[in-house]
Structures are given as C-alpha cells and as structure tokens.
Amino acid sequence: MATFLGRSPDTATIDDLRRFQIKQQEDGVPVPTMNSIVSVLRFFFTHTVDRPDLARRLVRLAHPRKLPVVLSRDEVARLLNATTCLKHQAALSVAYG
C-alpha cells in the first residue's frame, strides 16, 4: 500500500483505497490474497492509526468456488475393478470415499 501510494498509508483517503483495490484486480492478484490484504488493512486502519471510517470502506471480494467432479456409479466400479490387488482396491476405495 505504501509503495502504491508513494507515501505513508496512514494518510490514505477513500479514493486511494478504491484505486489500490482496482489496481490489484487489474494486476491479477488472486481473490484470497486480495481478501487477506483487506483484513490486514482493516486491522491497520482500525487499531493502529484509529481510522475506522476507512476500514469500513474496504470491500472483500466473493471467492468463486468450483464444485468437485463426481464420478458416476459405473465409473467408480470401473476404477475399483481396474486393479486385482486387494490392497490397491482398498486404497482406491478409501481415497475415493
């Protein structure tokens, strides 16, 4: 934040925070990393420099979550029958379960 602003972050304005978050998004910073930065800045503005008005203006982004691929019953049966070793079948069963 200090590097982005070119001055101390305790002098930041609401527009500075908005520009900082937009720049992060444009630079392709992952959403979880951006949310971690928001948490750090909220702590900084609330507890360190006593500017909770700025902390409230920071926005956390929704992290899109993907659903896992679920195999059909037939695919699971083929996977478990792909090996003849009982130990490997047990390991595959536990791993899939």
Side-chain angles (χ1 to χ4, degrees):
M1 179 85 174
T3 303
F4 172 78
L5 291 176
R7 62 183 194 275
S8 178
D10 63 342
T11 63
T13 65
I14 294 169
D15 290 330
D16 291 333
L17 295 177
R18 185 178 306 114
R19 287 187 300 112
F20 177 66
Q21 285 191 298
I22 290 171
K23 176 76 168 124
Q24 284 182 317
Q25 197 169 24
E26 289 171 352
D27 289 347
V29 175
V31 172
T33 303
M34 289 178 66
N35 287 338
S36 294
I37 293 169
V38 166
S39 296
V40 168
L41 289 174
R42 281 184 181 169
F43 180 87
F44 175 74
F45 287 122
T46 303
H47 299 290
T48 306
V49 295
D50 196 29
R51 294 189 62 194
D53 56 312
L54 288 180
R56 285 191 295 268
R57 300 300 294 257
L58 289 163
V59 178
R60 292 180 61 89
L61 300 175
H63 181 50
R65 299 183 190 270
K66 296 180 183 178
L67 293 175
V69 176
V70 178
L71 299 177
S72 69
R73 288 180 184 255
D74 184 50
E75 291 171 323
V76 172
R78 285 190 332 191
L79 175 70
L80 296 178
N81 293 329
T83 183
T84 56
C85 178
L86 182 60
K87 180 174 77 172
H88 295 157
Q89 285 179 340
L92 287 173
S93 296
V94 170
Y96 182 74

